[in-house]
């Protein structure tokens, strides 16, 4: 489980994303390479900003399969 924290809004109510969304996607990709992670069993959840990020991650370019 990872629980990143950010000092700014990652995805706002207009679906505008900050660069931290790409950083999170890159973190997930890196961890999938380095650790024995089943890419078919990745899930996201969150409240408020975490919820917005959970909506944005599966549709972000190159993220792979995420289930909200």
């Amino acid at each position: 489980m990872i629980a990143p924290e950010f000092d700014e809004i990652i995805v706002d109510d207009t679906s505008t994303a900050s660069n931290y969304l790409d950083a999170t996607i890159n973190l997930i990709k890196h961890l999938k390479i380095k650790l024995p992670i089943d890419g078919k069993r990745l899930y996201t959840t969150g409240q408020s900003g975490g919820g917005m990020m959970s909506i944005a991650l599966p549709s972000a370019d190159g993220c792979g399969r995420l289930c909200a």
Side-chain angles (χ1 to χ4, degrees):
M1 179 174 86
I2 61 171
E5 293 184 28
F6 305 99
D7 60 356
E8 65 182 55
I9 295 172
I10 306 308
V11 182
D12 66 18
D13 292 338
T14 64
S15 298
T16 302
S18 80
N19 291 333
Y20 283 122
L21 181 62
D22 289 333
T24 303
I25 292 167
N26 290 333
L27 173 62
I28 293 168
K29 287 180 178 181
H30 175 77
L31 292 174
K32 284 174 63 177
I33 291 168
K34 295 293 184 181
L35 300 172
I37 294 173
D38 181 353
K40 295 180 180 178
R41 296 177 64 189
L42 296 176
Y43 300 90
T44 68
T45 188
Q47 297 178 4
S48 190
M52 293 297 290
M53 193 165 177
S54 290
I55 293 168
L57 273 172
S59 62
D61 185 35
C63 192
R65 182 179 184 276
L66 286 173
C67 305

